[in-house]
Amino acid sequence: MDPVVRPREDSDLTELATVLVRVHVRDGYPVEGVSDPQAWLTPPHELAAWTALLDGRPIGHIALTQAAEDDDAAQLWHQTTGRNITELVILLRLFVDPDHRQFGAGTLLMAAAYEHATTHGRAVAFDVMLKDRAAIRLYEKMGCQRIGTITHTHSGDQAEPAAVYVAPSPPACLALPESAPASFQPNRQQTPSARLRSSKLPTPAADQTL
């Protein structure tokens, strides 16, 4: 059976927390640890979140938050594009159960978040630890574009270098769900830098409800 993605429900959190603990044991993600996994799954300024399910059981997760002025990734995006941070959402809390990574759940989660953001006129950025080389390979294979690096500080005084990526186009080499909108189709006639320049989206509404 193929995975499906739907908006996260409160009843998903307990099982997602269990999955997250397994991910941390396997991959060291998140670097902050998982002392309170359910709290980590519901970050401040969350706008939307989705759960990937296989046979009805949660196996993965992704969320979007409104970018904040003090977010290093958002600041780098602003410096790179010259656009207002209110036009940006941050993709985060993405993970898939290590035992179920062969079914494409991560791609479906990314597609759901991207479609939601672009439908509401927002650009998408995120950061990933440089140590997470497998994740970086996947993101770059999907067409995400690195715009720079930052230092992620956690657990008080621990520093971890991270790359910041933007997602102005859909996964260019992986199959997308049929529900992906036309704007989510890659433009193979443009270079990555041209796609980034041409991806300016409308200014969002003031209520920022996404």
Side-chain angles (χ1 to χ4, degrees), residues 147-171:
I147 60 172
T149 57
I150 59 174
T151 299
H152 178 63
T153 303
H154 64 94
S155 306
D157 59 355
Q158 301 297 308
E160 191 79 41
V164 178
Y165 283 84
V166 294
S169 61

Side-chain angles (χ1 to χ4, degrees), residues 123-136:
V124 180
F126 60 95
D127 62 70
V128 56
M129 304 302 122
L130 292 182
K131 71 178 183 63
D132 296 329
R133 296 178 182 177
I136 286 174

Side-chain angles (χ1 to χ4, degrees), residues 1-196:
M1 181 178 292
D2 294 331
V4 297
V5 169
R6 60 155 169 73
R8 189 191 67 211
E9 300 175 357
D10 289 345
S11 58
D12 299 334
L13 290 172
T14 297
E15 194 150 4
L16 284 171
T18 301
V19 172
L20 180 62
V21 171
R22 289 200 294 271
V23 169
H24 182 70
V25 170
R26 168 76 174 269
D27 303 322
Y29 173 86
V31 293
E32 298 90 341
V34 286
S35 59
D36 189 350
Q38 290 199 34
W40 186 87
L41 284 165
T42 54
H45 312 299
E46 182 181 279
L47 297 169
W50 295 264
T51 299
L53 302 105
L54 188 65
D55 293 331
R57 297 190 62 180
I59 62 164
H61 177 268
I62 198 169
L64 292 173
T65 63
Q66 176 59 51
E69 296 285 345
D70 60 353
D71 186 302
D72 290 340
Q75 291 177 9
L76 181 58
W77 177 86
H78 169 68
Q79 293 166 9
T80 301
T81 66
R83 295 168 59 186
N84 194 301
I85 286 177
T86 59
E87 296 180 57
L88 178 69
V89 293
I90 301 296
L91 184 152
L92 73 177
R93 306 307 194 251
L94 171 60
F95 61 90
V96 176
D97 192 323
D99 295 333
H100 299 95
R101 290 180 177 173
Q102 67 272 34
F103 300 110
T107 301
L108 291 173
L109 288 163
M110 288 280 288
Y114 183 91
E115 178 178 357
H116 187 83
T118 55
T119 296
H120 291 82
R122 308 295 178 93
V124 180
F126 60 95
D127 62 70
V128 56
M129 304 302 122
L130 292 182
K131 71 178 183 63
D132 296 329
R133 296 178 182 177
I136 286 174
R137 286 195 298 270
L138 174 62
Y139 295 140
E140 292 182 348
K141 184 179 180 182
M142 294 172 72
C144 299
Q145 303 162 30
R146 186 186 297 200
I147 60 172
T149 57
I150 59 174
T151 299
H152 178 63
T153 303
H154 64 94
S155 306
D157 59 355
Q158 301 297 308
E160 191 79 41
V164 178
Y165 283 84
V166 294
S169 61
C173 57
L174 300 177
L176 291 171
E178 293 181 358
S179 60
S183 62
F184 202 64
Q185 302 308 312
N187 184 344
R188 300 184 185 278
Q189 303 304 313
Q190 291 181 300
T191 64
S193 59
R195 288 201 303 270
L196 178 57

